């Protein structure tokens, strides 16, 4: 399978950053029950807008989005920029490609969450033994599902290929592309 480039941006959700939100996003942020969750969502969404503005050649506040059948966002007007966002705990990842469907997932490894039954429920077999490997398998599954724009409980298409990403300590992450093997390019932080 051919390789295709995918840019990966790592965002700290504990570091203060400028806000770039639409009125709808502000309203959504205000519906969060816990302040910490609200702040992290604002920082992740603002960083996404800032990063995408670099690719779309427009101001972060002027970007518009639409949602697919299972909630996968896309830029409006429809463009060549494909992207995906994932956040967990103190970190977020943004994956960006040119014209290739992409999915990304990051998860905080938690010793009190047994991933094996969750993966089995999704139809996964040949489960690895360590917690780290189980979380990695989960992020592969979720990144592939997000790349094809499908539901997590649907088995992702075989042409969605996932690879492991460098993740902060205590986290695991993967990125997937449809029809290509990901050629990962780390671009740094998106909340500068």
């Amino acid at each position: 399978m051919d390789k295709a480039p995918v840019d990966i941006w790592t965002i700290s959700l504990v570091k203060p950053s400028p806000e770039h939100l639409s009125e709808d996003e502000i309203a959504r942020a205000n519906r969060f029950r816990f302040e910490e969750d609200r702040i992290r969502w604002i920082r992740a969404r603002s960083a996404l807008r800032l990063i995408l503005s670099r690719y779309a050649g427009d101001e972060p506040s002027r970007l518009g989005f639409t949602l697919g059948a299972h909630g996968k966002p896309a830029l409006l007007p429809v463009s060549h920029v494909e992207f995906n966002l994932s956040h967990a705990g103190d970190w977020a990842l943004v994956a960006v490609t040119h014209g290739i469907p992409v999915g990304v997932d990051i998860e905080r490894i938690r010793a009190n969450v047994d991933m094996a039954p969750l993966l089995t429920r999704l139809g996964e077999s040949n489960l690895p033994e360590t917690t780290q490997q189980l979380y990695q398998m989960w992020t592969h599954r979720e990144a592939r599902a997000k790349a094809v724009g499908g539901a997590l409980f649907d088995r992702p298409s075989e042409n969605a290929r996932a690879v492991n990403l460098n993740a902060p300590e205590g986290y695991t992450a993967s990125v997937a592309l449809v029809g290509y093997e990901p050629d990962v390019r780390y671009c740094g932080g998106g909340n500068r």
Side-chain angles (χ1 to χ4, degrees), residues 24-176:
D24 290 347
E25 290 167 326
I26 291 169
R28 183 173 173 190
N30 289 333
R31 290 192 298 265
F32 277 86
R33 184 174 188 187
F34 300 106
E35 182 68 5
E36 185 176 329
D37 293 338
R38 186 183 73 77
I39 290 169
R40 287 180 176 162
W41 187 87
I42 288 170
R43 289 178 179 163
R45 191 67 182 202
S46 294
L48 173 68
R49 283 182 164 278
L50 183 61
I51 290 165
L52 292 178
S53 72
R54 297 174 184 186
Y55 293 88
D58 207 345
E59 293 296 317
S61 61
R62 293 175 38 104
L63 297 177
F65 299 92
T66 185
L67 296 178
H70 296 285
K72 184 175 182 179
L75 277 175
L76 283 174
V78 177
S79 75
H80 66 284
V81 178
E82 295 269 351
F83 68 94
N84 201 235
L85 166 70
S86 180
H87 48 89
D90 295 338
W91 295 96
L93 293 177
V94 174
V96 183
T97 68
H98 294 283
I100 300 169
V102 61
V104 69
D105 188 47
I106 183 169
E107 297 291 338
R108 184 171 53 92
I109 299 171
R110 295 168 289 172
N112 63 337
V113 176
D114 187 1
M115 294 302 291
L118 297 171
L119 288 163
T120 301
R121 187 171 170 213
L122 292 175
E124 296 292 339
S125 57
N126 299 321
L127 299 182
E129 294 183 20
T130 71
T131 300
Q132 172 81 27
Q133 292 169 329
L134 287 165
Y135 269 86
Q136 196 69 65
M137 183 179 239
W138 176 269
T139 63
H140 272 241
R141 172 67 182 247
E142 190 156 338
R144 291 175 60 224
K146 291 171 76 176
V148 299
L152 182 60
F153 283 94
D154 295 339
R155 181 160 292 284
S157 170
E158 289 301 318
N159 71 338
R161 300 296 174 117
V163 297
N164 298 346
L165 293 174
N166 295 334
E169 183 71 30
Y171 291 78
T172 187
S174 299
V175 65

